[in-house]
């Protein structure tokens, strides 16, 4: 088995892999940032007191979470052009991943905020802190600390989901594996290398999370 | 007005008032009430929780409130800083209508310290951060000034060495004293306590009551919801009994305990003192 494993072919394809690795990395990173922003906004709308906005947020979150990502991707990829809206494949990919992950992020953030005991918030109200001060100093720091593990999980899901972008012919890690497989008929080498790169991203994300968790919890507050 | 003022003077000149606060109270006599309830009614949906409450607390007075579970004690306190709304009547703090539309409630809340049964310290902040966050953000004190003040107050409640500790590193009694310090650090006119010792182990109750007792001696205006009747006897100017949302009885402690007018008060006292 090990003898059959062809390391040379991997080295030969390394330029392709590193290019695709960078693509997966930046597509995921941009989508993750977008998802955090949209997730925060959707969560704020959902828990806010203005009904129509809350309704919109719920519809968004539920429809995303109840439909397959692949269907969403095809809907945007084939649907938008038929409406006359043209976008690059990368833009389409980022848009879909952002909207998809944003819905999950919204629920994760909501869970974090609701994990703050109402007594802590009341203590803030009683001492005269206004809404934004309470959010900033009392609710968000521990809420984010509590949700970091779940956010890490969602970020990993996002990176893995970006593999679907290979279906709209974006050059990313899974696509690299497909190319090696179809050009040289070496699926084991092709997809093990792909998997190794995903694992690398996982470890980057994980260490980033534990680093920021420590900062959030033991940071000077003001 | 003149008449009621005179009556107040009489009630204030009870022997157990002759303590350091005596002169403060004399000075305060000319001033109107610190807290006034006028025909206050509060409903939660169909549930009538506070019924026609009339009450006044003078500057420097310590009022202890007791009553059965669910009688409305917490709600009464929470109305004072508008954690709850009212359906009719009004509450006036130092001349300001708490539930008035034009009232700057944030500013008013800054004048009222509130201590909860469950401490409610912010778990991600150290003791000193817990008590200085509001002075810095609401009172706009400089950080160094607030820290210095906060340290003084921590010293006062006997926790000078715990400034850097997180709530999870403190005992229940210590956490509650930090919570009291948090209220004091805003330099409030009024302190409200909602069963401050009810969730404490017995051996920690006194360290918290001592802090509250010291505040009483310094002339802080306070309403303390508690079933610690020993504390009520020695520290309260008046004791009130609430039952099913009604202020059934309010009297100076010696009268309240020796000779309660109301049958329900008597029943309640016999239960609670028998424990
Ligand atoms: N937010 C709320 N919504 C609906 N009902 C409430 C709410 N808060 C309190 N109540 C009800 O109002 C009544 C008075 O409650 P309150 O907490 O003031 O009683 P309490 O005298 O403080 O009791 P305890 O000694 O148990 O703390 C209770 O019957 C309670 O169920
Ligand atoms: Mg209560």
């Amino acid at each position: 088995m090990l003898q059959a494993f062809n390391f040379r072919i991997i080295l030969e394809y390394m330029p392709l892999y590193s290019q695709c690795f960078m693509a997966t990395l930046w597509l995921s990173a941009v989508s993750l940032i977008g998802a955090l922003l949209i997730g925060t906004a959707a969560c704020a709308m959902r828990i806010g007191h203005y009904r129509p906005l809350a309704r919109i947020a719920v519809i968004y979150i539920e429809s995303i979470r109840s439909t397959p990502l692949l269907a969403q991707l095809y809907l945007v990829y084939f649907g938008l052009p038929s409406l006359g809206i043209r976008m690059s494949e990368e833009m389409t990919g980022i848009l879909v991943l952002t909207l998809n992950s944003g819905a999950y992020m919204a629920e994760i953030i909501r869970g974090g905020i609701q994990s703050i005991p109402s007594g802590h918030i009341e203590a803030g109200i009683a001492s005269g802190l206004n809404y934004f001060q309470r959010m900033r100093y009392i609710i968000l720091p521990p809420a984010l600390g509590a949700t970091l593990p779940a956010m890490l999980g969602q970020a990993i899901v996002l990176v893995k989901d970006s593999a679907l972008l290979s279906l709209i012919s974006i050059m990313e890690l899974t696509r690299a594996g497909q190319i090696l497989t179809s050009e040289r008929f070496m699926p084991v080498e092709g997809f093990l290398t792909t998997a190794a790169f995903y694992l690398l991203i996982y470890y980057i994300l994980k260490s980033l999370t534990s680093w920021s968790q420590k900062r959030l919890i033991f940071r000077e507050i003001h | 007005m003149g008449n009621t003022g005179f009556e107040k003077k009489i009630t204030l000149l009870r022997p157990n008032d002759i303590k350091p606060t005596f002169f403060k109270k004399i000075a305060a006599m000319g001033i109107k009430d610190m807290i006034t309830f006028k025909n206050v009614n509060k409903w939660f949906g169909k549930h009538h929780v506070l019924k026609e409450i009339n009450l006044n607390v003078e500057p420097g007075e310590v009022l202890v409130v007791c009553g059965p579970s669910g009688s409305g004690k917490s709600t009464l306190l929470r109305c004072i800083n508008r954690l709850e709304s009212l359906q009719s009547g009004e509450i006036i703090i130092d001349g300001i209508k708490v539930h008035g539309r034009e009232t700057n409630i944030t500013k008013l809340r800054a004048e009222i310290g509130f201590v909860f049964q469950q401490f409610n310290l912010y778990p991600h902040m150290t003791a000193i951060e817990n008590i200085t966050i509001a002075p810095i953000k609401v009172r706009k004190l400089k950080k160094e000034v607030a820290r210095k003040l906060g340290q003084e107050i921590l010293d006062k409640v006997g926790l000078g060495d715990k400034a850097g500790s997180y709530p999870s590193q403190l005992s229940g009694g210590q956490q509650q004293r930090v919570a009291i310090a948090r209220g004091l650090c805003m330099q409030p006119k009024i302190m409200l306590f909602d069963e401050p010792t009810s969730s404490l182990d017995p051996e920690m109750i006194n360290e918290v009551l001592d802090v509250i007792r010291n505040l009483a001696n310094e002339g802080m205006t306070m309403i303390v919801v508690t079933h610690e009747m020993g504390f009520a006897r020695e520290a309260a100017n008046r004791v009130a009994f609430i039952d099913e949302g009604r202020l059934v009885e309010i009297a100076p402690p010696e009268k309240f305990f020796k000779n309660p007018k109301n049958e329900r008060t008597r029943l309640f006292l016999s239960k609670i003192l028998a424990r």
Side-chain angles (χ1 to χ4, degrees):
Chain A
M1 169 69 200
L2 201 59
Q3 283 155 336
F5 193 86
N6 192 336
F7 284 101
R8 284 199 38 209
I9 203 81
I10 295 173
L11 279 180
E12 190 184 316
Y13 273 78
M14 209 26 93
L16 174 71
Y17 270 105
S18 48
Q19 179 206 333
C20 289
F21 170 67
M22 292 313 289
T24 292
L25 216 52
W26 82 262
L27 287 169
S28 305
V30 172
S31 305
L32 182 61
I33 292 167
L36 283 171
L37 294 177
I38 289 203
T40 309
C43 170
M45 281 163 65
R46 178 157 191 183
I47 63 178
H49 293 297
Y50 188 57
R51 276 281 173 78
L53 283 182
R55 193 75 42 89
I56 293 171
V58 169
I59 291 171
Y60 159 64
I61 291 166
E62 287 183 350
S63 50
I64 293 280
R65 287 179 16 127
S66 60
T67 54
L69 175 58
L70 188 56
Q72 296 162 13
L73 181 66
Y74 281 156
L75 183 68
V76 173
Y77 185 64
F78 296 114
L80 286 190
S82 74
L83 293 175
I85 303 168
R86 308 226 160 261
M87 256 193 259
S88 68
E89 279 83 11
E90 278 81 5
M91 272 310 296
T92 307
I94 288 171
L95 180 69
V96 172
L97 285 181
T98 298
L99 287 177
N100 180 273
S101 243
Y104 292 91
M105 285 296 184
E107 290 297 270
I108 291 172
I109 296 169
R110 189 167 70 105
I113 288 176
Q114 286 175 344
S115 75
I116 305 300
S118 63
H120 297 177
I121 301 166
E122 281 189 344
I125 297 175
S127 61
L129 294 169
N130 66 33
Y131 179 80
F132 290 101
Q133 291 169 331
R134 293 197 303 271
M135 268 290 167
R136 165 70 183 79
Y137 299 107
I138 294 170
I139 299 176
L140 286 182
L144 287 179
T147 53
L148 268 177
M151 286 198 179
L152 169 68
Q154 183 55 36
I156 291 162
V157 167
L158 192 158
V159 172
K160 292 190 294 183
D161 281 351
S162 73
L164 284 182
L165 301 188
S166 62
L167 293 172
I168 59 172
S169 63
I170 290 178
M171 293 294 285
E172 47 68 65
L173 275 175
T174 304
R175 187 93 188 99
Q178 287 168 354
I179 289 171
L180 199 159
T181 304
S182 61
E183 286 180 6
R184 302 293 179 91
F185 310 107
M186 290 183 179
V188 174
E189 284 80 354
F191 287 112
L192 264 184
T193 313
T194 293
F197 276 109
Y198 280 121
L199 202 62
L200 179 61
I201 299 181
Y202 167 75
Y203 280 117
I204 294 173
L205 278 172
K206 201 177 134 185
S207 45
L208 220 61
T209 309
S210 52
W211 176 79
S212 53
Q213 201 160 24
K214 277 186 203 122
R215 308 228 80 198
L216 267 175
I217 293 174
F218 297 108
R219 183 181 46 118
E220 290 255 322
I221 297 297
H222 42 262
Chain B
M1 176 70 207
N3 214 351
T4 52
F6 183 62
E7 278 168 17
K8 266 175 210 161
K9 271 175 217 175
I10 302 270
T11 53
L12 274 169
L13 286 173
R14 283 177 288 110
N16 86 333
D17 261 58
I18 314 276
K19 35 185 179 181
T21 55
F22 178 66
F23 295 103
K24 271 195 177 178
K25 282 179 180 164
I26 294 279
M29 274 197 307
I31 306 172
K32 53 187 175 323
D33 292 327
M34 189 63 106
I35 307 171
T36 313
F37 279 63
K38 285 188 189 163
N39 305 320
V40 167
N41 284 285
K42 165 78 191 163
W43 276 269
F44 282 116
K46 288 205 164 67
H47 188 179
H48 200 172
V49 181
L50 293 179
K51 298 169 183 161
E52 284 297 310
I53 304 280
N54 282 292
L55 175 69
N56 57 303
V57 179
E58 294 163 12
E61 182 173 3
V62 178
L63 175 68
V64 162
V65 176
C66 59
S69 178
S71 56
K73 306 177 298 293
S74 299
T75 308
L76 178 103
L77 281 195
R78 292 163 58 84
C79 285
I80 295 175
N81 67 356
R82 212 161 105 183
L83 284 174
E84 303 288 355
S85 61
L86 298 184
Q87 275 65 49
S88 77
E90 60 185 20
I91 300 174
I92 298 163
I93 302 291
D94 204 18
I96 299 166
K97 286 184 191 171
V98 177
H99 294 76
R101 274 182 170 278
E102 65 291 341
T103 300
N104 182 342
I105 186 64
T106 311
K107 205 170 149 203
L108 188 60
R109 280 174 180 148
E111 304 294 340
I112 306 172
F114 201 111
V115 176
F116 300 84
Q117 181 177 346
Q118 302 297 343
F119 330 139
N120 289 335
L121 294 179
Y122 313 129
H124 56 297
M125 298 186 195
T126 60
I128 191 83
E129 286 169 344
N130 259 282
I131 69 179
T132 56
I133 176 94
I136 293 171
K137 301 298 167 190
V138 180
R139 290 252 192 251
K140 310 288 181 204
L141 290 191
K142 283 223 176 63
K143 189 178 165 181
E144 309 78 69
V145 178
R147 289 236 163 192
K148 194 156 163 279
L149 176 67
Q151 186 61 50
E152 274 169 26
I153 293 174
L154 279 180
D155 289 340
K156 203 170 111 175
V157 299
L159 293 173
D161 55 336
K162 299 290 184 190
S165 303
Y166 284 91
S168 58
Q169 299 166 323
L170 300 172
S171 72
Q174 291 171 332
Q175 287 188 55
Q176 191 60 301
R177 283 185 283 156
V178 172
I180 295 172
R182 178 170 64 181
L184 293 177
C185 206
M186 288 295 276
Q187 302 178 293
K189 290 182 187 151
I190 298 169
M191 287 289 287
L192 306 175
F193 296 84
D194 192 359
E195 306 205 31
T197 57
S198 297
S199 51
L200 294 178
D201 292 337
E203 72 269 22
M204 294 175 183
I205 290 178
N206 270 325
E207 66 187 52
V208 170
L209 290 182
D210 283 343
V211 168
I212 304 176
R213 231 174 257 133
N214 286 341
L215 283 178
N217 289 335
E218 286 170 19
M220 176 67 78
T221 310
M222 301 196 280
I223 301 184
V224 186
V225 172
T226 183
H227 292 152
E228 293 293 330
M229 290 303 141
F231 169 82
R233 259 200 194 100
E234 51 192 286
N237 299 103
R238 286 187 297 166
V239 184
F241 173 65
I242 296 192
D243 191 37
E244 293 178 354
R246 261 181 226 292
L247 188 58
V248 172
E249 182 133 8
I250 179 162
E254 54 273 33
K255 224 171 133 197
F256 184 90
F257 290 110
K258 272 213 199 88
N259 206 356
K261 283 182 296 188
N262 194 291
E263 189 52 38
R264 283 177 167 277
T265 317
R266 241 171 259 170
L267 214 69
F268 177 77
L269 281 178
S270 68
K271 268 190 221 151
I272 202 136
L273 294 175
R275 280 199 311 202

